[in-house]
């Protein structure tokens, strides 16, 4: 079994197979696809080296010739789903429009793969698809008059906004599934409680705000609004 290296290393700088013997039977893409399939079906808690090996049709010990453990699996998985971005050659026409489109794609990818918000890490930013995504973003941000460091911060903020939004959406959905009543029933009870509290006069500022507040919109519209405000802050 391959052990963890004694010094930091990047999986992408290693050979695809570390053990001796015949040429690799599986590619990193094969392993990533199997791991993503397990996590999509059973969540990240259902992911194990044994499950991935079973999906590939090999022994668990054989899998260690390709990856050192779950940390490597996570990195392969994040890179694999990062390849789902559609990165057109032609810009939308302005950097804000391009970044908004990318943010929407990020949210969609995270919703398709609910485990992604749990394993995502900045250390995975060196994978082939992550570098491809970063290079694309920097190209679309060329019209923005800002230092390179600020552009990297903007890209990170767009991704962070998507991650926070999706993590909240998933948490709410998971909570709703565990309750013996519907989401509509709970919201009605909570809305009635809030109405009574606001009407008490104890919270005049909140009462004024809610009096003129529009009806809540759906998650996609809320996400777009937050992202537009973020982008407007940069220019």
């Amino acid at each position: 079994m391959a052990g963890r290296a004694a010094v930091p290393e990047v999986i992408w700088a290693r050979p695809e197979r570390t053990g001796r013997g015949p040429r690799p039977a599986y590619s990193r893409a094969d392993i990533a696809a199997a791991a993503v399939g397990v996590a999509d079906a059973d969540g990240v808690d259902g992911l194990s080296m044994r499950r991935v090996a079973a999906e590939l049709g090999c022994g668990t010990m054989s899998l260690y010739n390709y990856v050192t453990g779950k940390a490597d699996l996570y990195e392969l998985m994040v890179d694999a789903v990062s390849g789902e971005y559609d990165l057109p050659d032609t810009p939308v026409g302005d950097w804000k429009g391009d970044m908004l489109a990318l943010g929407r794609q990020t949210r969609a990818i995270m919703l398709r793969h609910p485990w992604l918000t749990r394993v995502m890490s900045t250390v995975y930013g060196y994978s082939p698809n992550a570098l491809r995504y970063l290079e694309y973003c920097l190209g679309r941000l060329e019209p923005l008059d800002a230092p390179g460091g600020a552009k990297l911060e903007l890209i990170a903020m767009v991704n962070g906004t998507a991650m926070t939004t999706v993590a909240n959406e998933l948490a709410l959905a998971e909570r709703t599934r565990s309750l013996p009543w519907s989401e509509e029933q709970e919201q009605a009870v909570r809305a009635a409680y809030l109405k009574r509290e606001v009407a008490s006069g104890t919270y005049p500022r909140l009462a004024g705000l809610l009096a003129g507040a529009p009806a809540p919109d759906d998650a996609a519209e809320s996400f777009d609004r937050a992202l537009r405000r973020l982008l407007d802050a940069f220019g």
Side-chain angles (χ1 to χ4, degrees), residues 130-142:
L131 293 175
R132 171 175 163 262
Y133 169 81
L134 184 58
E135 180 69 16
Y136 180 88
C137 289
L138 291 173
R140 293 303 178 257
L141 288 175
E142 284 186 349

Side-chain angles (χ1 to χ4, degrees), residues 26 29 104 113 120 147 171 198 206 216 220:
Y26 309 103
R104 288 169 175 165
H113 307 288
M120 195 71 149
V198 170
L206 182 58

Side-chain angles (χ1 to χ4, degrees), residues 53-100:
E55 289 294 318
L56 291 168
C58 69
T60 305
M61 293 301 103
S62 297
L63 187 56
Y64 281 101
N65 287 319
Y66 300 86
V67 292
T68 60
K70 278 190 177 181
D72 278 355
L73 282 182
Y74 292 158
E75 189 151 3
L76 293 178
M77 292 162 66
V78 171
D79 180 68
V81 299
S82 295
E84 295 179 10
Y85 280 99
D86 177 22
L87 305 179
D89 294 332
T90 304
V92 170
D94 68 283
W95 66 267
K96 289 183 183 179
D98 288 325
M99 294 306 296
L100 178 62

